[in-house]
Amino acid sequence: MFRSFSVFNYRVWFIGALVSNVGAWMQTTALSWVVLTELTNNDAAAMGVTMALQFAPPLLLVGVTGWVADKFDRRRLLLLTQSSLLLIGAVIGILLLAGVMTLPLMYVFALALGLVTAFDNPTRQAFVSDLVSRENASNAVALNAASFNGARMIGPAVAGIVIVAVGTGWVFLVNAVTFLAMIAALSLIRTRDLIPRVKAPGAARLADGFRYVGKRPDLMVAFAMVFLLGAFGLNFPIFASTMALEFGQDADGYGLLSSILAIGSLAGALLAARRDRARLRVVVTGTGIFAVAATVSAFMPNYWAYAATLMLTGFAIVTTLTTANGYVQTTTDPALRGRVLALYMAILLGGTPIGAPIIGWVASEFGPRVAILVGAAAAIVAFSIGAIWMLSSGRFHRHSERRFLLTIDETLPIGVVAPEEFSDEIAGTTSIPLPAQESPATVASRRAG
């Protein structure tokens, strides 16, 4: 489960990311709450617009951000993006403490966060492959998800307490300080131990990633499922905050819901880390579980019953997304990994500008329970896409030994092996297989026969 920790660079990266993720979840909680309760009068639609502004840039800039992640030094890019996120968080906190923050100004900062994140996400995802060898990439991705969701158990709950105690502005300032941990980790990484990056032959073109994915039907199916989940199913800030208000809870109650969701999310991430590789059938199964969990949660009668269903919801969605991410990482041509991951992140996060305003409007007009059911319906459609593709691909067939039992073939990763360069030394020391020599006794026996 923790085999990637044997690599020094990954250990340093993990610790820095864990501290930074705690601050990031604190900021996410505070941002949603300040828009919903301080800058508006419980306007879920305004929160949907805020989310859309944060997640639109990854979709609009997908070609450029992926190309940048493949072209330039990823460690230096991350130092730049993390420093920029630190600055934006600090400015938001200062303006909130000064009492001059307005909703239009928050929209501007949400867009700024989205622009920086558009470059940060694919670079950060691809950088994992620079830290560990390819056989450990899926494990490293799963441990990253464990770090992300472990922080989710801590960050929202702490944010809720801080908001009630001293106000939202301090949450943004604390988040700004936690970025120093990631910057320190990036500075401590041993650059000489990074995995050499594969360079694409010829000029690296922005459209290469699109062409590559277009020739991979398995990736097309995975991306379609991830888009539907990202657009309509992953609007947890809207779901949790509006349900918290419906149950008469304050900011601490909302933060606790996010932390409870993270319990299931952490379990899903750790189980994903135990698997030897990422399989597409797990993505399909996780999507189906998420659809069931979301549907059940929409009918829960009280706060604690709703909170309990969130653990299953978190388990399902993290199992799905972590496996999908690992599948993309381990089956993609290394020379195109940054561009393909940028496309993956754009589809995952870029669906939010489409779905979040719709979900926010539904929550405002018809209530949060109906909004959750819309997300569940999108998950059912995503599950259907994956299931139909797996059935049509011929992977399901009757068991060879049991008459009434169906079995499914393994969804094997598509390996990409770079050709070895010619070497006189290798050519001179490589053995050449020769036909086996028969002994004289064998020859005499054969002739006699």
Side-chain angles (χ1 to χ4, degrees):
M1 184 184 293
F2 303 105
R3 55 187 180 274
S4 294
F5 286 156
S6 62
V7 180
F8 171 82
N9 281 345
Y10 187 79
R11 292 198 302 271
V12 172
W13 164 267
F14 184 89
I15 294 170
L18 179 61
V19 176
S20 181
N21 285 335
V22 171
W25 276 114
M26 291 179 66
Q27 176 170 287
T28 299
T29 304
L31 182 61
S32 300
W33 193 256
V34 76
V35 171
L36 188 65
T37 62
E38 295 182 23
L39 302 181
T40 68
N41 185 23
N42 298 340
D43 188 353
M47 191 164 64
V49 173
T50 305
M51 291 178 63
L53 290 171
Q54 291 180 77
F55 296 122
L59 179 62
L60 298 176
L61 300 174
V62 55
V64 176
T65 56
W67 177 79
V68 168
D70 278 335
K71 184 72 174 176
F72 299 100
D73 185 295
R74 290 170 184 156
R75 189 181 70 88
R76 293 181 180 178
L77 282 173
L78 288 172
L79 284 170
L80 178 61
T81 56
Q82 294 291 301
S83 299
S84 300
L85 291 171
L86 183 157
L87 180 62
I88 294 172
V91 172
I92 294 175
I94 293 171
L95 293 178
L96 283 170
L97 290 176
V100 296
M101 180 62 76
T102 63
L103 183 61
L105 193 56
M106 184 62 83
Y107 285 161
V108 173
F109 281 110
L111 180 60
L113 287 170
L115 288 171
V116 178
T117 302
F119 289 90
D120 183 77
N121 273 337
T123 306
R124 186 156 34 88
Q125 296 291 334
F127 189 60
V128 173
S129 300
D130 297 342
L131 297 172
V132 298
S133 59
R134 184 165 184 168
E135 57 267 22
N136 287 331
S138 180
N139 175 258
V141 169
L143 290 177
N144 275 1
S147 166
F148 185 73
N149 290 287
R152 194 175 193 170
M153 295 174 61
I154 304 170
V158 174
I161 295 172
V162 173
I163 290 171
V164 172
V166 294
T168 53
W170 287 103
V171 177
F172 289 91
L173 292 180
V174 170
N175 172 58
V177 173
T178 61
F179 277 111
L180 295 175
M182 179 59 85
I183 294 172
L186 290 168
S187 301
L188 291 172
I189 281 176
R190 299 168 181 169
T191 55
R192 66 181 182 277
D193 293 338
L194 293 176
I195 305 299
R197 290 169 56 180
V198 177
K199 301 295 184 180
R205 293 165 295 185
L206 298 178
D208 287 343
F210 292 92
R211 295 192 186 96
Y212 180 83
V213 173
K215 297 177 181 178
R216 292 277 305 274
D218 55 333
L219 292 184
M220 294 285 285
V221 169
F223 283 15
M225 296 171 64
V226 164
F227 172 78
L228 288 169
L229 289 177
F232 300 101
L234 299 185
N235 294 291
F236 293 121
I238 298 176
F239 297 149
S241 60
T242 52
M243 287 294 281
L245 291 175
E246 178 161 308
F247 291 127
Q249 298 293 317
D250 207 339
D252 52 350
Y254 164 46
L256 183 59
L257 287 179
S258 297
S259 296
I260 291 174
L261 177 75
I263 296 174
S265 302
L266 180 60
L270 291 176
L271 285 178
R274 287 180 60 88
R275 300 187 186 101
D276 57 345
R277 64 174 179 269
R279 296 175 173 88
L280 200 55
R281 66 185 184 184
V282 178
V283 178
V284 178
T285 303
T287 304
I289 296 174
F290 172 75
V292 173
T295 302
V296 171
S297 70
F299 294 98
M300 289 297 100
N302 56 61
Y303 176 84
W304 290 109
Y306 173 71
T309 63
L310 288 184
M311 286 189 283
L312 180 58
T313 302
F315 173 83
I317 198 61
V318 169
T319 296
T320 300
L321 297 183
T322 301
T323 307
N325 190 317
Y327 186 81
V328 173
Q329 289 248 25
T330 56
T331 67
T332 298
D333 187 332
L336 297 170
R337 186 173 290 134
R339 276 159 285 184
V340 175
L341 282 171
L343 184 57
Y344 171 82
M345 297 305 299
I347 289 172
L348 173 61
L349 303 179
T352 303
I354 301 171
I358 296 174
I359 293 296
W361 176 79
V362 171
S364 295
E365 296 295 323
F366 305 102
R369 297 179 187 274
V370 178
I372 294 173
L373 288 175
V374 172
I380 292 173
V381 174
F383 171 79
S384 300
I385 291 172
I388 291 171
W389 179 79
M390 294 192 74
L391 287 170
S392 63
S393 66
R395 286 178 170 82
F396 278 102
H397 52 81
R398 184 176 297 176
H399 197 278
S400 60
E401 298 178 357
R402 300 181 183 180
R403 183 176 180 181
F404 299 104
L405 183 65
L406 293 176
T407 185
I408 180 173
D409 294 334
E410 293 285 349
T411 306
L412 297 176
I414 301 174
V416 179
V417 181
E420 294 282 352
E421 293 185 2
F422 179 80
S423 167
D424 289 332
E425 181 181 356
I426 294 176
T429 57
T430 301
S431 58
I432 301 174
L434 299 174
Q437 298 294 323
E438 295 180 332
S439 66
T442 304
V443 174
S445 175
R446 180 165 52 82
R447 288 177 178 175

